[in-house]
Amino acid sequence: MTQMVTAPPKDMAVREGEAAADRADRADGAAAALVGSALAAEELGLTRGELARAVQLGIVRTGPPAAGGAARFARAELARVRDAAAGPPDALRRQVETVAGAQAAAEVLGVGPSRFTRLARCGHITPVGYRINRYRAVVWLYLAAELREFADREPRMLRGTASAEDRELLAATGDLRPRTWRGRHVGLLLRRTADPWARAAVLACVLSEDELRAAVPDPAERIVLAALAPPPPYGHPQVPAAAAVAEGLLRAGPPDEVHWYRTSLEFALAGARAQSKSTGERGPT
């Protein structure tokens, strides 16, 4: 009788080597599906600055960051954005196009700079970003598409007289631009994360150090919030003198605004603490 001979099982080291190679292949495939900012901008027909604005606005979603923290983008996401931007070749670029300062913004609206400044100061038009010029003055940036929409939606405001509320605000030298920008900035950041501690960190970063200490007396929680704090917005200056001016834009000012952010932070922290107690993840318990 002929005896059946079976092959001996593979050596454990061989099996482990093959598994490691398989994992490396999968990792290489995943990495190949991600591209850096420069290539992503090129594939979308944008500049690096326009891509950053598209990310800020939630039009383009980032993927897992590189080891050094640099943004990366999934090719599937780039394909989705290209498909969504149906129409003219520059449709996506028009969504993120910005104009700087009252003169340029007024030209888009077809009004004089003084009227545009009144509309913006009174909160009817919200900036999307800022620059600090060499004189340490704030130059607000506006989305051109939003200005065109405003002109179509509110033609009377471009020609009529100011309302009583606007006249009262202007008489008191009020300026709602920093506040309306902060609200927009915080809202966009909150839309980009569902993590309760990260959401609390977004709200915490708008408060001054004294207000934050009062709202979050636990030092351990403040450490967590600081570690999760979002980076400065796109366009934030690096020069210390200009950065000091910009820092003032990042912090809530009027008492009612501070109260709103403190209340929102306390609510967010309650949810974050509850999650930590139930899951043991992220933050003090």
Side-chain angles (χ1 to χ4, degrees):
M1 178 182 295
T2 303
Q3 184 176 4
M4 296 289 295
V5 178
T6 58
K10 290 184 178 180
D11 181 81
M12 181 66 72
V14 174
R15 290 201 301 269
E16 290 180 352
E18 290 179 347
D22 184 53
R23 288 194 297 272
D25 288 343
R26 289 198 299 270
D28 289 343
L34 295 168
V35 300
S37 296
L39 186 54
E42 180 181 347
E43 293 192 4
L44 293 177
L46 303 175
T47 66
R48 293 280 292 273
E50 289 168 340
L51 176 62
R53 189 70 67 199
V55 171
Q56 174 202 8
L57 296 173
I59 298 172
V60 182
R61 299 186 294 258
T62 58
R72 295 190 299 178
F73 300 83
R75 289 195 177 278
E77 171 65 5
L78 301 183
R80 181 194 69 80
V81 173
R82 285 194 297 268
D83 291 342
D90 63 344
L92 179 57
R93 172 165 283 175
R94 287 173 63 85
Q95 286 183 262
V96 298
E97 177 190 2
T98 59
V99 293
Q103 180 67 49
E107 290 177 2
V108 176
L109 285 185
V111 299
S114 60
R115 179 177 288 269
F116 174 81
T117 300
R118 169 173 65 82
L119 292 170
R121 284 179 58 185
C122 294
H124 301 295
I125 298 172
T126 302
V128 72
Y130 58 79
R131 283 194 329 227
I132 309 299
N133 67 17
R134 59 179 177 173
Y135 304 109
R136 302 181 194 174
V138 179
V139 178
W140 292 107
L141 308 179
Y142 302 89
L143 284 174
E146 288 186 351
L147 296 178
R148 298 185 188 101
E149 290 171 5
F150 181 84
D152 292 339
R153 187 178 69 250
E154 304 288 353
R156 292 185 179 181
M157 298 191 74
L158 304 183
R159 301 287 179 265
T161 59
S163 67
E165 294 82 359
D166 287 0
R167 291 197 299 270
E168 182 179 352
L169 178 67
L170 294 171
T173 66
D175 188 349
L176 297 180
R177 287 175 293 184
R179 181 171 184 164
T180 58
W181 173 79
R182 279 190 294 271
R184 176 177 210 161
H185 177 59
V186 168
L188 289 170
L189 289 173
L190 290 175
R191 282 169 50 189
R192 288 163 59 181
T193 180
D195 179 87
W197 282 100
R199 292 176 66 83
V202 168
L203 296 164
C205 74
V206 186
L207 296 174
S208 68
E209 185 175 345
D210 290 342
E211 290 290 348
L212 182 58
R213 286 180 178 274
V216 190
D218 185 345
E221 288 188 340
R222 292 201 302 272
I223 290 173
V224 172
L225 295 177
L228 295 173
Y234 178 73
H236 192 78
Q238 302 298 316
V239 178
V245 175
E247 283 295 327
L249 302 175
L250 300 178
R251 305 288 176 256
D256 63 321
E257 184 190 13
V258 172
H259 176 74
W260 189 90
Y261 282 114
R262 278 194 57 169
T263 302
S264 299
L265 173 59
E266 290 163 5
F267 181 79
L269 280 174
R273 291 164 183 151
Q275 185 197 60
S276 292
K277 288 179 180 178
S278 63
T279 66
E281 296 178 355
R282 183 98 73 183
T285 57

